Amino acid sequence: MAIAAAISLPLIAVKHRSYCSSASSALWFSSSSIHPLKNLPSVGISAGRKSNLCVFSSMSTQAPAKASAASFLDHKESGILHFVKYHGLGNDFILVDNRDSKEPKITPEQAVKLCDRNFGIGADGVIFALPGINGTDYTMRIFNSDGSEPEMCGNGVRCFARFIAELENFQGNKSFNVHTGAGLIVPEIQEDGKVRVDMGQPILKASDVPTKLTANKDQAAVKAKLDVDGSIWNVTCVSMGNPHCVTFGTESCNDLQVDELNLAEIGPKFEHHAMFPARTNTEFVQVFSRSHLKMRVWERGAGATLACGTGACAVVVAAVLEGRADRSCTVDLPGGPLDIEWRESDNHIYMTGPAELVFYGSVPL
């Protein structure tokens, strides 16, 4: 079904809402008055047949049409935050053009409200495109859905790259340098629209991940024993600028069936385990072959998500260290596959996958 709509999701309980079969202009309804949202780009999610369904309340969101993110974000209204929503394999983010300021336009507390899937826009995090520092082209910062700030996000950086390409009107293959809390990251927009990212070198020294687990292989914690509620899990700890605990199973079950896991129950026990002083992301992995892995992830600060790019990178590193896989793998995540290569020549990890624009939107702060 084709839909042409201005959709809104209030940050507080909706006091006024209107549903209409046709309309000539979009309106933002507040609790006291009605304001036209002028000069917004045309709205439409085209799937073959056109309709005129409209839904209005205190936040406006625009499905992507011919207008660019740059033209939409050019609108400047006091107290209004314009944004673009992207997802990378279902790992979804609110992208904010913050290139005119070194500080994020919203607070972590506001980010929590925006990420709420019932009372906000709904997302795994808010990503800000800020000016570059130390010779880089841009800076990327992220607030998770719980308000915490991670060092980096693999799916997020692909969305960030596509967002920048829209803002700057880049055409064809294009790469640029991005400063993150995990260091320098270099994404490259490819001709097919996918994004290939040089994720840098993995950090394996246990104390730098960080983990309190005892190093057992060249200062790394590889197949280390982790007691979680009396069950002993074999885990390998890797940092991609953010901490990851990767497991292929327990002492009693070394052939994990990831779809059978209750992530909501087990995930927080890993995330907040005393062995991880900065908390941790946790990847549960099933091996199909030496080049094909499947994972589910419990993300630090976000919980169960459909994809985690840094997690997929950490999974391949752990699989290689444990002798389970080769250096180039397809990693299946709930949201779809990522191609990961841990290149022996430079010790860098390269991640390739999609990033898709979902809609443009505006929200009153």
Side-chain angles (χ1 to χ4, degrees), residues 86-88 91 93 95 155-164 355:
Y86 283 80
H87 78 87
N91 198 189
F93 302 95
L95 277 292
N155 289 311
V157 78
R158 295 200 315 278
C159 293
F160 180 93
R162 288 292 300 272
F163 183 53
I164 290 296

Side-chain angles (χ1 to χ4, degrees), residues 90-93 115 117 123-126 142-150 152-153 263-264 267-268 271-272 279-282 297-308:
N91 198 189
D92 55 342
F93 302 95
C115 290
R117 296 190 184 277
D124 292 320
V126 181
I142 311 167
F143 291 155
N144 280 329
S145 58
D146 70 349
S148 61
E149 183 172 0
M152 228 286 287
C153 174
L263 274 190
E271 178 184 357
H272 298 281
R279 297 190 292 163
T280 190
N281 302 282
T282 308
V297 60
W298 182 268
E299 289 198 51
R300 179 186 61 167
T305 63
L306 294 178
C308 176

Side-chain angles (χ1 to χ4, degrees), residues 24 40 44 64 66 73 78 130 144 189 200 203 206 228 233 238 240 260 272 313 326 349 360:
S24 59
L40 290 177
K66 291 184 179 180
L73 295 172
S78 177
L130 299 105
N144 280 329
I189 311 291
I203 298 168
V228 181
W233 292 77
V238 179
M240 292 302 305
E260 297 176 5
H272 298 281
C313 295
D326 298 328
I349 302 176
Y360 308 120

Side-chain angles (χ1 to χ4, degrees), residues 25 39 93 119 125 201 221 271 283 304 327 357:
S25 64
N39 301 319
F93 302 95
F119 297 101
Q201 301 185 28
E271 178 184 357
E283 289 76 34
R327 285 177 170 264
L357 190 155

Side-chain angles (χ1 to χ4, degrees), residues 14-332:
V14 179
K15 295 185 179 180
H16 297 282
R17 181 177 291 166
S18 171
Y19 302 88
C20 62
S21 59
S22 64
S24 59
S25 64
L27 304 177
W28 163 42
F29 284 55
S30 70
S31 59
S32 59
S33 60
I34 300 173
H35 308 276
L37 291 175
K38 297 179 180 178
N39 301 319
L40 290 177
S42 59
V43 180
I45 303 173
S46 179
R49 186 170 58 85
K50 202 170 184 179
S51 76
N52 292 310
L53 171 67
C54 293
V55 185
F56 304 113
S57 66
S58 64
M59 184 186 70
S60 167
T61 59
Q62 304 286 325
K66 291 184 179 180
S68 69
S71 64
F72 176 72
L73 295 172
D74 279 344
H75 296 274
K76 307 293 183 184
E77 293 93 8
S78 177
I80 299 293
L81 178 73
H82 296 303
F83 66 89
V84 184
K85 186 170 179 180
Y86 283 80
H87 78 87
L89 299 178
N91 198 189
D92 55 342
F93 302 95
I94 298 162
L95 277 292
V96 177
D97 183 6
N98 215 122
R99 292 172 298 165
D100 58 353
S101 173
K102 294 182 179 180
E103 291 299 321
K105 292 183 177 179
I106 63 170
T107 66
E109 292 76 19
Q110 288 173 311
V112 171
K113 293 180 179 180
L114 292 177
C115 290
D116 191 291
R117 296 190 184 277
N118 294 310
F119 297 101
I121 299 163
D124 292 320
V126 181
I127 297 178
F128 306 91
L130 299 105
I133 61 174
N134 300 327
T136 58
D137 299 308
Y138 308 97
T139 295
M140 182 178 86
R141 289 182 63 183
I142 311 167
F143 291 155
N144 280 329
S145 58
D146 70 349
S148 61
E149 183 172 0
E151 300 86 351
M152 228 286 287
C153 174
N155 289 311
V157 78
R158 295 200 315 278
C159 293
F160 180 93
R162 288 292 300 272
F163 183 53
I164 290 296
E166 279 265 341
L167 292 176
E168 304 283 12
N169 196 28
F170 292 148
Q171 303 295 323
N173 281 68
K174 180 69 177 181
S175 64
F176 39 86
N177 298 326
V178 180
H179 174 79
T180 74
L184 176 66
I185 300 294
V186 185
E188 179 187 357
I189 311 291
Q190 300 188 314
E191 292 289 350
D192 61 2
K194 290 185 177 181
V195 182
R196 180 175 178 268
V197 185
D198 179 352
M199 300 288 286
Q201 301 185 28
I203 298 168
L204 301 176
K205 186 177 179 181
S207 59
D208 291 342
V209 170
T211 178
K212 294 181 180 179
L213 290 169
T214 302
N216 56 10
K217 183 177 181 180
D218 298 329
Q219 298 187 309
V222 179
K223 294 186 71 174
K225 308 301 181 185
L226 182 69
D227 187 334
V228 181
D229 278 358
S231 295
I232 306 301
W233 292 77
N234 297 319
V235 303
T236 294
C237 298
V238 179
S239 172
M240 292 302 305
N242 55 351
H244 292 270
C245 171
V246 181
T247 181
F248 296 86
T250 64
E251 279 190 327
S252 60
C253 177
N254 202 33
D255 184 20
L256 201 59
Q257 302 297 306
V258 296
D259 288 335
E260 297 176 5
L261 290 171
N262 184 345
L263 274 190
E265 178 182 353
I266 191 69
K269 296 175 181 179
F270 278 82
E271 178 184 357
H272 298 281
H273 200 286
M275 290 295 101
F276 304 109
R279 297 190 292 163
T280 190
N281 302 282
T282 308
E283 289 76 34
F284 302 88
V285 192
Q286 185 173 345
V287 179
F288 293 139
S289 72
R290 294 192 64 84
S291 61
H292 189 189
L293 310 173
K294 181 178 181 178
M295 64 171 269
R296 292 179 68 194
V297 60
W298 182 268
E299 289 198 51
R300 179 186 61 167
T305 63
L306 294 178
C308 176
T310 56
C313 295
V315 160
V316 171
V317 171
V320 171
L321 292 176
E322 294 192 19
R324 300 175 184 271
D326 298 328
R327 285 177 170 264
S328 184
C329 293
T330 296
V331 181
D332 290 341

Side-chain angles (χ1 to χ4, degrees), residues 343-357:
R343 191 172 294 174
E344 194 166 11
S345 61
D346 60 7
N347 197 37
H348 282 223
I349 302 176
Y350 297 86
M351 170 189 65
T352 303
E356 303 291 340
L357 190 155

